[in-house]
Amino acid sequence: MKELIFVTNNKHKLSEIRQIIGRYYTIKSLADIGFDEDIEETAPDLEGNALLKARHIHDRYGLDCFADDTGLEVDALNGAPGVYSARYAGENASYADNVSKLLEAMKGEPVRTARFRTVIALILDNKSYLFEGQVDGEILTEPRGETGFGYDPIFRPLQSDKSFAEMPAEEKNAISHRGRATEKLQSFLVRETKEAK
Ligand code: IMP
């Protein structure tokens, strides 16, 4: 099977992506290729950060790879935390810190609409491609559920009564931002694999 490097060490993301495209490609993480530095996410948007991460690894190792960047965009906060979702409550903020800060910022706010958006940048045979996935929903008033990660306990997608953290992984993947972006990546890769034969 062909190999693709996923520019991440996030175990949740790795297992989500492997569930979706692991049938077609062997997905390796940064740890698998011995890369343990931080790649600074300095771009002003998700597209820029995803490309920056993929290019960094491609320039260093010359391997086909993809990187993702995700943001939670809350309407009442003018799209915040957005591209700053990972460090919303500070540089080394935990998931719990970020969730608390967001709940505090949304206290008493009646307009709770929000969306998760993921951009995946793929570099394959020296060409780059972007894939996007989005899921609309609302910010809950308190955390619910134990699965998933990040803002999952306080995000309820529109098409469900459950928060992302109350869903088994497959249920979340079927409708999530990353699931949708990954499906687009997968369709593209499957087409490429067939055309290469
Ligand atoms: P990243 O830049 O793609 O790592 O995502 C930024 C931040 O968004 C992460 O640190 C998480 O807090 C949050 N995030 C990303 N994906 C998800 C998800 O699927 N569910 C909940 N939170 C997420």
Side-chain angles (χ1 to χ4, degrees), residues 13 41 69-70 85-86 95 116 149-152 172 177-178:
K13 288 188 185 177
E41 300 186 16
D69 204 31
T70 295
S85 295
Y95 291 145
F116 271 116
F149 68 105
Y151 298 93
D152 279 348
K172 176 186 169 189
H177 45 303
R178 195 166 23 263

